[in-house]
Amino acid sequence: METLILKTTEADIAAAGEILKSGGLVALPTETVYGLAANAFDTQAVRRIYEVKGRPSDNPLIVHIADLEALPSLVSELPKSAEKLAAAFWPGPLTMILNKADIIPDAASGGLDSVAIRFPENKTAREIIRAAGLPLAAPSANLSGKPSPTTFEHVFEDMNGKVEAIVEGESCNVGVESTIISLIGKKPRLLRPGGITVDELESVIGEIEIDSAVLERMDERGKVRSPGMKYKHYCPKADITIIDSSPQEFVEYANERGVFALCFDEDEAELKIPHISYGPRYDSREQARRLFSALHRLDEEQAGQVFARIPKRTGVGLAVYNRLVRAAGFKVQNPAGRLIIGLTGSTGAGKTTVSAEMENQGCISIDCDWISRSPGVYDGECIKELQAVFGDDIVTRGMLDRALLAKRAFVNKENSEKLNSITHPRILKKVREEIEHAEKAGYGLIIVDAPTLFEAGFDKMCARIIAVTAPEDVRMKRIIFRDRLTEEEAATRMNAQPKNEFYESRADYKIDGTLGISEYERILAPIVEELNKSLDGEKL
Ligand code: TXA
Ligand code: MG
């Protein structure tokens, strides 16, 4: 079959609409991934989608609309939660599972009583749906089992010669398929994570359940809530293993093994082996945007064994991890057999309480603040360097005047950076020794408690990061009391530190530092449990 390549001009969009009306298939861009569309009411056309993709017939399709008014006729009931979610996130990367109206053919719903509906944001997608004047059933435009296409080239590779037309649009901005939430059970349930996060959904409709298929391998038999999750997915030819470790360990380990690395931007400079990055460590959205292209490139580069960096599993990171762990056939390994966990947050946020409770629950904590004041760090050499920068008078009668040093160092960013550059290498060495010591003592979960975790680059030795945050006024009060400061001194110290957002956006876990002491046990237990589970992951 000759496949027509269309652009996004008015005439081409009209042509795409005509093809769809007459039962043809059109691959088109959306903000998530490219879709392969057909008239959702046309059983023959919908069947052809399955044929072309090689998709199992019990894996239902998503029906795409371009007007809210189209929704009621496609479903048999419309819960309030669906209306709320539509108002908040449509058009956008969210799909809702609702009880279907009879008008939806079995071919589109995979024989289920429910139907998946999505109102995409991408302008071209919406224009084509309107031009067709029909709801469009559209799965991702890849051959079944392969990574979803996020560029025209990828669609062309899989679909040229098999469909009536491919519309060439821009690359997909979200990069992973839509979030799928089921609204047909007692409780809303997340079936597939995507660009709309669990937090965002919960802020509109309250608590949602996360289907076990989001993170775990599913049984291939049996009827499941999320049929799509049971099939092999996103699979490049390469043999991927996710390495659950710190960036530093990852780099050392991958270099040593001489494999191919699927890494983060920050790792690239230190990798001596072929590698492809799928984004910056702390930018899940960018990782989502780039992941599928990176998987494609692994095949182009004919990568064999691949070690992949583990993404964080919160926010959009959950979607990234969900796709990557499938691409890896659920192979996640922890080569070191332990996890180093960074614990950070600004001064007065409540790290110490969190660290103490985590110790109660079997972790060991290394207090970098304490180390940073220890004589092991402030040796003669160090003090000389400090005097050169902050003045000779920071030593009186042979003793370091810490209060005076703190005053001078924390007065602005530049000065605190100067202090850091002198003390941090020494602290790092001590921390390393402490980690080794903890390992020898048999601890698996080792916490590095450091207010300046990121500034000092200690995050490079952490496999996970916990951020403790509290509002400014709470922290202010605490440090005035604890460190006997004036309000002005406290404010100066706080201003030299990053805002809560800085810590939270980098963290795997966010902890509210204003809870009552007894609440931390409850909040931290599931986190420690999850960390312990990661420890039990296969070792190489
Ligand atoms: O972002 C997206 O959603 C893209 C673009 C093209 O819109 N589409 C997409 O479709 O990812 P597809 O077919 O690759 O994935 C649809 C998923 C499958 O996992 C399928 O099992 C699930 O939606 N699904 C569809 N109808 C369902 C239903 N009634 N109940 C549960 N899951 C359903
Ligand atoms: Mg798909």
Side-chain angles (χ1 to χ4, degrees):
M1 163 181 297
E2 174 109 27
T3 297
L4 205 58
I5 305 302
L6 298 171
K7 305 280 183 189
T8 56
T9 60
E10 217 173 292
D12 278 7
I13 283 176
E18 287 308 315
I19 294 171
L20 289 160
K21 271 191 223 170
S22 59
L25 304 192
V26 176
L28 47 80
T30 84
E31 71 276 23
T32 56
V33 300
Y34 272 75
L36 177 58
N39 173 0
F41 298 144
D42 181 341
T43 297
Q44 291 312 318
V46 169
R47 286 220 178 108
R48 246 191 81 217
I49 291 181
Y50 286 88
E51 261 167 49
V52 164
K53 279 186 56 104
R55 178 175 175 117
S57 63
D58 66 345
N59 190 7
L61 307 179
I62 297 176
V63 175
H64 295 68
I65 58 174
D67 286 291
L68 261 185
E69 291 76 67
L71 178 61
S73 69
L74 302 175
V75 300
S76 62
E77 60 189 315
L78 195 56
K80 198 97 214 118
S81 53
E83 283 175 22
K84 283 189 190 162
L85 290 173
F89 303 115
W90 277 0
L94 176 69
T95 296
M96 294 192 244
I97 309 290
L98 296 160
N99 284 316
K100 83 178 185 82
D102 293 339
I103 195 171
I104 305 278
D106 278 349
S109 67
L112 299 174
D113 294 332
S114 55
V115 62
I117 313 234
R118 167 158 128 80
F119 183 167
E121 201 200 343
N122 179 283
K123 185 163 166 269
T124 306
R126 283 189 284 161
E127 284 173 354
I128 294 173
I129 300 168
R130 287 187 188 136
L134 293 160
L136 300 180
S140 49
N142 52 292
L143 296 176
S144 208
K146 282 184 62 175
S148 297
T150 50
T151 66
F152 167 73
E153 287 72 29
H154 296 159
V155 184
F156 187 82
E157 195 182 304
D158 278 12
M159 293 298 151
N160 187 41
K162 300 190 177 89
V163 300
E164 276 71 15
I166 302 174
V167 179
E168 179 174 5
E170 61 280 25
S171 296
C172 304
N173 187 40
V174 178
V176 291
E177 308 86 342
S178 59
T179 302
I180 303 183
I181 186 163
S182 170
L183 300 172
I184 59 178
K186 275 199 198 97
K187 247 197 173 172
R189 177 180 283 268
L190 181 81
L191 300 185
R192 180 174 76 183
I196 304 291
T197 65
V198 171
D199 282 353
E200 286 172 322
L201 294 168
E202 290 190 332
S203 73
V204 175
I205 54 166
E207 204 184 324
I208 63 178
E209 279 172 6
I210 315 275
D211 198 85
S212 58
V214 168
L215 290 174
E216 284 158 34
R217 193 200 293 270
M218 292 217 42
D219 193 341
E220 300 255 336
R221 294 153 311 197
K223 200 138 183 131
V224 289
R225 287 197 186 88
S226 176
M229 287 295 166
K230 71 181 173 183
Y231 296 106
K232 201 168 171 181
H233 253 79
Y234 317 113
C235 265
K237 294 184 196 90
D239 175 20
I240 303 179
T241 303
I242 298 178
I243 302 298
D244 190 1
S245 71
S246 70
Q248 235 159 33
E249 286 165 344
F250 176 84
V251 166
E252 277 165 27
Y253 196 64
N255 280 341
E256 204 174 279
R257 291 291 174 113
V259 291
F260 205 104
L262 180 60
C263 62
F264 290 146
D265 291 354
E266 294 88 334
D267 309 321
E268 290 195 279
E270 286 164 53
L271 282 166
K272 299 190 183 74
I273 50 171
H275 56 266
I276 290 165
S277 168
Y278 69 101
R281 180 181 185 190
Y282 298 122
D283 188 344
S284 297
R285 286 197 187 270
E286 180 70 13
Q287 291 167 21
R289 211 170 288 135
R290 281 164 54 180
L291 180 67
F292 286 145
S293 275
L295 293 179
H296 271 275
R297 276 197 48 210
L298 287 179
D299 282 352
E300 283 158 26
E301 307 272 331
Q302 298 185 319
Q305 204 191 2
V306 176
F307 283 178
R309 280 278 268 123
I310 193 163
K312 86 177 187 181
R313 279 169 284 187
T314 44
V316 174
L318 184 63
V320 177
Y321 183 80
N322 169 277
R323 307 310 191 270
L324 185 58
V325 81
R326 281 172 170 75
F330 291 87
K331 289 197 296 295
V332 184
Q333 298 187 337
N334 178 329
R338 55 130 169 79
L339 286 176
I340 299 175
I341 303 144
L343 176 66
T344 190
S346 43
T347 179
K351 282 189 312 300
T352 312
T353 316
V354 171
S355 151
E357 179 52 37
M358 290 192 74
E359 287 210 326
N360 275 343
Q361 299 192 20
C363 311
I364 187 78
S365 181
I366 297 167
D367 182 347
C368 296
D369 241 1
W370 181 83
I371 288 181
S372 72
R373 288 190 297 264
S374 69
V377 168
Y378 285 86
D379 53 14
E381 190 98 353
C382 175
I383 289 183
K384 255 190 235 150
E385 283 181 41
L386 289 171
Q387 278 180 303
V389 176
F390 296 105
D392 283 340
D393 57 337
I394 59 167
V395 178
T396 38
R397 278 180 303 240
M399 292 275 289
L400 177 65
D401 183 344
R402 284 177 191 282
L404 186 61
L405 175 62
K407 244 181 212 166
R408 291 191 181 155
F410 294 133
V411 72
N412 57 34
K413 224 175 155 187
E414 199 192 330
N415 278 13
S416 49
E417 270 164 19
K418 276 185 194 156
L419 173 71
N420 291 346
S421 72
I422 296 170
T423 54
H424 275 150
R426 294 175 161 94
I427 299 168
L428 181 60
K429 191 164 156 260
K430 283 275 154 207
V431 172
R432 285 240 166 83
E433 285 168 16
E434 287 295 306
I435 290 174
E436 247 172 65
H437 191 61
E439 257 191 283
K440 281 201 189 113
Y443 285 100
L445 300 181
I446 302 169
I447 294 169
V448 172
D449 173 353
T452 54
L453 190 83
F454 300 108
E455 297 87 333
F458 289 3
D459 57 332
K460 280 181 77 178
M461 52 182 178
C462 299
R464 300 281 192 287
I465 287 161
I466 300 179
V468 187
T469 58
E472 233 170 78
D473 55 322
V474 175
R475 285 186 278 128
M476 177 92 132
K477 248 187 173 163
R478 285 179 181 168
I479 65 170
I480 287 173
F481 172 76
R482 184 190 67 191
D483 301 340
R484 309 276 190 272
L485 302 177
T486 66
E487 207 162 299
E488 210 188 339
E489 287 164 339
T492 312
R493 193 179 292 185
M494 280 173 55
N495 284 337
Q497 294 187 333
K499 303 273 169 256
N500 283 336
E501 213 277 320
F502 170 88
Y503 300 101
E504 287 178 342
S505 63
R506 287 162 176 73
D508 296 274
Y509 303 101
K510 296 182 256 182
I511 310 282
D512 177 353
T514 63
L515 304 176
I517 294 224
S518 58
E519 284 177 275
Y520 286 103
E521 189 184 341
R522 178 178 57 82
I523 298 281
L524 292 169
I527 295 176
V528 173
E529 191 188 338
E530 199 173 282
L531 292 169
N532 270 316
K533 229 168 150 187
S534 301
L535 269 190
D536 294 340
E538 261 177 278
K539 289 171 201 165
L540 287 180

